[in-house]
Amino acid sequence: MSNTRRTFLTVGATTAAALGAGAVTAVSANAAEVPRTRPEPVYETPLGIAMEGYPSAHPVRFLRLVNQGETVNMAYLDIAPAPHSPQGVSGRTVLLLHGKNFDGGAWEPTARALAAAGHRVVVPDQIGFGRSSKPALEYSFELLARNTVALLDQLEVARADVIGHSMGGMLGVRFALEHPDRTGRLVLANPVGLEDYRELVPALSTERLFADELANTGLEGIRAFYRAYVVQWRRAYERNVELRYRVTLGGEYPRWALASARTYQMAYHQPVLADLPRLRLPVLLVIGQKDRAAIGKSYATPENRAKLGDFPVLGRRAAAAIPGARLVELADVGHLPQLEARERFEREVLAFLRD
């Protein structure tokens, strides 16, 4: 299988040589310098596109939905608050929304901290991601928001605080605007969508995106992609690499790849930047200052690529645009503040939820 890697959400500076001839994935320089004291894991067992059989820290449940005439299953975790939390049971529910290249299980440390602080925690895998169905839909943030409301209805949750990471931040903004009565507070952790990618990235057909995703099968390319998200790689982040690579080994990978291409179109064609001033709820922005992630960055010209994903600037602009928003800037942190600066992130979020 090809080792060529063209990513739909890329970060860092272009280093084609790191991935072989013709590669265009952006890889940060620090990723290549991480000392390797142990051999990198090698995965040989395929994984189904719904992560069948992959262990979960909490029981996985499913909600059956009908989207555009197709019956689908939405996976989710419903984590009860710790009964002996020092803060007591808050009576509040926190909804965690994952990014495009992640699943709900990637929220595990944050979910554990929130539950320990007395919050009920609901963690869905959106349709098209993680353990949920991978239908060939016309994806939209409105659709995913409606699905999420249906999940809250199923769980009898009237109102939730929302934390969105990466593309989950775009969904969080849309959820808060479409369903303000269901949204308490909103936390955006290095959200993409703080710029309109259509201005600097060319539009592409779904067929082109699908073909490029089908080529994303090289383990080292996938590992380099996730390394580029962070300032310092830790073996704990390897879970994302394992899931992404093992899915490529399975017979249903083309269906996964098509869902990925279609959700790329959603993020590209449905910007939320202009909607930020319309938010009318408490908002916390947590921005890792070393992040350079952007939808479709590898498809942009070198000149435009250099302009994309400037999170120090984007975070400040977003904070100025959102009425009353609070901005926390984390130095020497990349795209995963909830993992790279876990204790600080959890402290800021818990304080925000208490205020």
Side-chain angles (χ1 to χ4, degrees):
M1 292 183 286
S2 169
N3 284 329
T4 301
R5 178 83 180 150
R6 184 183 291 271
T7 56
F8 295 157
L9 175 58
T10 47
V11 292
T14 302
T15 312
L19 301 179
V24 294
T25 301
V27 181
S28 65
N30 62 5
E33 298 169 359
V34 174
R36 298 186 178 184
T37 58
R38 293 179 291 172
E40 296 286 12
V42 176
Y43 308 107
E44 298 178 346
T45 306
L47 187 66
I49 61 172
M51 297 168 55
E52 294 90 339
Y54 194 84
S56 171
H58 307 278
V60 179
R61 299 179 173 86
F62 292 90
L63 173 65
R64 183 155 294 179
L65 299 164
V66 176
N67 285 175
Q68 298 172 15
E70 185 168 348
T71 300
V72 294
N73 289 319
M74 183 177 186
Y76 67 93
L77 309 176
D78 182 10
I79 306 168
H84 304 297
S85 167
Q87 294 87 1
V89 175
S90 70
R92 302 175 72 159
T93 298
V94 182
L95 178 68
L96 300 180
L97 303 178
H98 61 76
K100 185 180 188 307
N101 293 300
F102 304 90
D103 67 300
W107 277 115
E108 168 54 23
T110 304
R112 186 170 59 246
L114 290 166
H119 301 294
R120 182 182 183 183
V121 186
V122 175
V123 193
D125 281 347
Q126 297 298 327
I127 297 300
F129 299 88
R131 301 177 191 271
S132 293
S133 300
K134 309 294 185 303
L137 301 177
E138 294 300 322
Y139 287 88
S140 70
F141 288 119
E142 289 79 7
L143 173 65
L144 300 190
R146 287 197 301 273
N147 288 344
T148 305
V149 167
L151 175 60
L152 295 182
D153 289 343
Q154 171 73 15
L155 299 177
E156 299 182 344
V157 174
R159 191 178 182 89
D161 298 313
V162 178
I163 304 177
H165 167 245
S166 192
M167 193 197 72
M170 297 181 77
L171 175 56
V173 170
R174 180 61 53 219
F175 183 91
L177 291 173
E178 295 287 328
H179 307 282
D181 58 322
R182 309 300 293 269
T183 316
R185 292 169 177 264
L186 178 62
V187 178
L188 302 175
N190 279 78
V192 294
L194 300 184
E195 54 195 322
D196 189 337
Y197 303 111
R198 299 173 301 178
E199 297 176 358
L200 297 173
V201 178
L204 298 170
S205 69
T206 300
E207 290 75 17
R208 165 68 184 279
L209 296 167
F210 176 50
D212 286 346
E213 191 62 81
L214 284 177
N216 293 344
T217 56
L219 176 57
E220 287 310 309
I222 291 171
R223 184 171 284 128
F225 170 62
Y226 281 103
R227 280 184 182 275
Y229 271 135
V230 299
V231 174
Q232 182 175 356
W233 181 256
R234 298 172 186 161
R235 186 57 65 90
Y237 306 156
E238 183 73 16
R239 175 186 181 275
N240 299 312
V241 177
E242 177 186 359
L243 291 176
R244 184 71 170 258
Y245 178 67
R246 288 180 60 194
V247 164
T248 71
L249 301 178
E252 289 293 295
Y253 177 58
R255 192 149 59 96
W256 186 99
L258 181 57
S260 180
R262 287 175 173 266
T263 55
Y264 171 97
Q265 297 287 37
M266 172 182 69
Y268 176 85
H269 287 287
Q270 299 172 27
V272 298
L273 174 63
D275 294 322
L276 298 181
R278 297 173 50 214
L279 291 169
R280 294 293 185 271
L281 76 169
V283 176
L284 171 66
L285 281 158
V286 183
I287 304 296
Q289 299 294 286
K290 296 293 186 181
D291 191 6
R292 294 298 180 270
I295 297 291
K297 191 173 183 178
S298 61
Y299 293 112
T301 65
E303 179 182 3
N304 287 340
R305 197 178 304 142
K307 301 174 185 178
L308 288 161
D310 189 351
F311 268 83
V313 172
L314 296 173
R316 291 167 200 151
R317 288 178 180 171
I322 300 170
R326 178 185 173 194
L327 173 64
V328 173
E329 297 178 318
L330 301 179
D332 298 319
V333 172
H335 192 59
L336 308 177
Q338 69 274 29
L339 298 180
E340 296 176 82
R342 184 176 59 82
E343 293 183 359
R344 173 76 186 280
F345 178 82
E346 292 168 4
R347 186 166 63 248
E348 295 287 352
V349 168
L350 290 171
F352 177 71
L353 296 180
R354 285 195 302 268
D355 288 345

